[in-house]
């Protein structure tokens, strides 16, 4: 059985803490500090400048700009869902970011995602619960999405399968997580993708845990959702960092 470095590092850190608590030497305590520093160094900031190096925009033409390390996504009427996606593919990782969004806008962060390679159709329920045929266009972004939902429904941190299966886990049975998201304020998200398991946290509260093996790798993308009005709405991200496992 393969044990992830994430869990090994955690066990190692616990062992060192126990050693110090039981009278370990100052040298051993120093080693523990060095280990913690090394783990911190494993984090990579995904935006180090105000440029979009290593990222590419997919599908819709919403506006993305970066100011002082803050990624600002602005809606554009008539455009489909827009995605600012990494050119690099990621498998096992911990992703952390902070987000603030207009309360009238829905958004999300794609993980282990991809694009359809050809046009196709599928059957899905419409707003009235009827099964209807829908199209998947070549190039359409699809895959796991960590929801950003400031609506009264409060599903922020739930896991949605964009342009494919729909909700894998919403927060309808997780009242604590529904209350964790703060409207009109910054919120810290943590996403752990390890093997076939995806765990999400919002402001330190466990939101979702999904076990699914459909996609083991893919890009990360910041979504600006389509809107049906001419309103100008924004979603902002900052302190986006990742640790590959």
């Amino acid at each position: 059985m393969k044990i992830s470095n994430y869990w090994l590092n955690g066990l190692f850190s616990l062992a060192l803490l126990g050693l110090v608590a039981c009278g370990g030497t100052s040298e051993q305590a120093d080693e523990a500090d060095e280990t913690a520093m090394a783990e911190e160094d494993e984090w990579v900031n995904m935006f180090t400048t105000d440029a979009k190096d290593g990222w590419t925009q997919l599908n819709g033409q919403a506006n993305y700009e970066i100011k002082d390390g803050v990624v600002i996504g602005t809606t554009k009427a008539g455009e489909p869902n827009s995605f600012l996606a990494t050119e690099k593919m990621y498998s096992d990782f911990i992703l952390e970011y902070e987000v603030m969004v207009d309360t009238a806008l829905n958004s999300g962060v794609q993980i282990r995602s991809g694009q359809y390679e050809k046009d196709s159709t599928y059957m899905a329920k419409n707003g009235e619960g009827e099964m209807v045929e829908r199209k998947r266009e070549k190039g359409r972004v699809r895959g796991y999405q960590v929801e950003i939902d400031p609506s009264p429904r409060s599903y922020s941190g739930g896991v949605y399968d964009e342009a494919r299966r729909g909700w894998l886990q919403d927060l309808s049975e997780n009242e604590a997580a529904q209350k964790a998201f703060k409207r009109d304020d910054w919120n810290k998200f943590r996403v752990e993708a390890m093997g076939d398991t995806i765990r999400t946290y919002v402001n330190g509260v466990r939101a979702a845990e999904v076990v699914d093996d459909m996609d083991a790798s893919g890009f990360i993308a910041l979504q600006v959702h389509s809107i049906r009005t001419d309103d100008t709405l924004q979603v902002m991200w900052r302190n986006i960092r990742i640790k590959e496992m």
Side-chain angles (χ1 to χ4, degrees):
M1 179 179 69
K2 181 180 177 182
I3 301 178
S4 166
N5 288 337
Y6 171 67
W7 305 116
L8 287 175
N9 287 339
L11 290 172
F12 182 59
S13 297
L14 286 173
L16 286 174
L17 288 172
L19 178 64
V20 173
C22 294
T25 67
S26 60
E27 289 81 4
Q28 290 167 327
D30 290 341
E31 290 177 3
D33 289 340
E34 290 175 1
T35 300
M37 292 176 62
E39 291 178 359
E40 187 66 23
D41 288 343
E42 293 173 0
W43 287 97
V44 174
N45 292 323
M46 302 189 77
F47 286 92
T48 56
T49 69
D50 285 355
K52 301 174 189 173
D53 298 339
W55 297 75
T56 186
Q57 188 162 342
L58 304 174
N59 298 170
Q61 295 301 310
N63 184 55
Y64 290 88
E65 58 181 337
I66 309 168
K67 293 183 178 180
D68 299 325
V70 178
V71 182
I72 305 169
T74 305
T75 58
K76 188 174 182 180
E79 288 294 320
N81 291 352
S82 304
F83 301 89
L84 186 63
T86 61
E87 295 170 358
K88 179 178 177 178
M89 303 294 156
Y90 294 90
S91 298
D92 287 1
F93 57 83
I94 302 173
L95 174 68
E96 293 185 343
Y97 52 90
E98 295 175 58
V99 65
M100 183 161 59
V101 59
D102 281 334
T103 56
L105 181 63
N106 178 274
S107 184
V109 172
Q110 299 290 137
I111 63 168
R112 290 179 173 176
S113 292
Q115 295 176 275
Y116 286 111
E117 297 180 354
K118 61 181 181 180
D119 292 342
S120 62
T121 60
Y122 68 106
M123 300 301 293
K125 290 182 179 180
N126 61 16
E128 289 71 43
E130 302 169 330
M131 296 300 293
V132 296
E133 185 177 83
R134 294 182 176 175
K135 294 181 179 180
R136 293 177 175 138
E137 296 181 353
K138 179 180 178 180
R140 175 70 164 90
V141 170
R142 53 98 185 119
Y144 305 121
Q145 179 185 124
V146 180
E147 185 81 359
I148 300 169
D149 177 18
S151 75
R153 182 181 65 175
S154 301
Y155 281 178
S156 292
V159 179
Y160 185 83
D161 195 3
E162 175 78 9
R164 196 161 51 183
R165 294 171 293 174
W167 284 107
L168 301 181
Q169 187 174 337
D170 61 33
L171 301 188
S172 57
E173 298 182 2
N174 189 342
E175 185 177 354
Q178 287 179 299
K179 293 179 178 179
F181 186 86
K182 298 176 292 185
R183 294 173 177 82
D184 296 314
D185 202 350
W186 287 101
N187 294 271
K188 184 173 183 178
F189 282 64
R190 178 182 173 97
V191 182
E192 300 174 356
M194 309 287 179
D196 63 359
T197 303
I198 298 170
R199 296 186 182 94
T200 68
Y201 302 80
V202 178
N203 295 323
V205 177
R206 171 74 71 84
E209 180 171 345
V210 171
V211 178
D212 188 81
D213 61 1
M214 182 165 283
D215 294 309
S217 179
F219 55 70
I220 292 167
L222 312 179
Q223 183 202 56
V224 175
H225 205 282
S226 61
I227 59 172
R228 298 179 179 178
T229 69
D230 292 329
D231 295 337
T232 299
L233 304 174
Q234 291 185 327
V235 54
M236 298 181 288
W237 294 267
R238 70 183 185 187
N239 298 328
I240 308 172
R241 66 176 190 166
I242 193 167
K243 181 193 290 189
E244 294 187 77
M245 312 309 292

